[in-house]
């Protein structure tokens, strides 16, 4: 799942790390444009992707 950089206009940043915990998934991102690092935590049920 890609994300948009919260620090600059770069979109569709690929995660550099992923960790799954059941229906919860965490991604770590680093923007190739500005170098900003951030993480997300998502519930796959909200995206219709839970198995």
């Amino acid at each position: 799942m890609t994300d948009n950089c919260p620090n600059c206009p770069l979109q569709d940043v690929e995660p550099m790390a992923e960790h799954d915990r059941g229906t919860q998934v965490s991604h770590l991102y680093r923007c190739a444009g500005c170098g900003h690092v951030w993480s997300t935590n998502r519930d796959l049920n909200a995206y219709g992707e839970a198995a």
Side-chain angles (χ1 to χ4, degrees):
M1 184 176 288
T2 63
D3 200 6
N4 299 331
C5 180
N7 195 55
C8 78
L10 191 64
Q11 297 182 0
D12 298 322
V13 178
E14 293 285 335
M16 55 187 252
E18 179 178 299
H19 181 71
D20 294 322
R21 291 179 305 272
T23 63
Q24 303 293 311
V25 63
S26 299
H27 288 113
L28 181 64
Y29 297 90
R30 176 177 286 141
C31 179
C34 69
H36 185 71
V37 176
W38 73 99
S39 64
T40 62
N41 296 300
R42 295 181 173 103
D43 184 339
L44 295 179
N45 289 317
Y47 293 86
E49 296 182 20

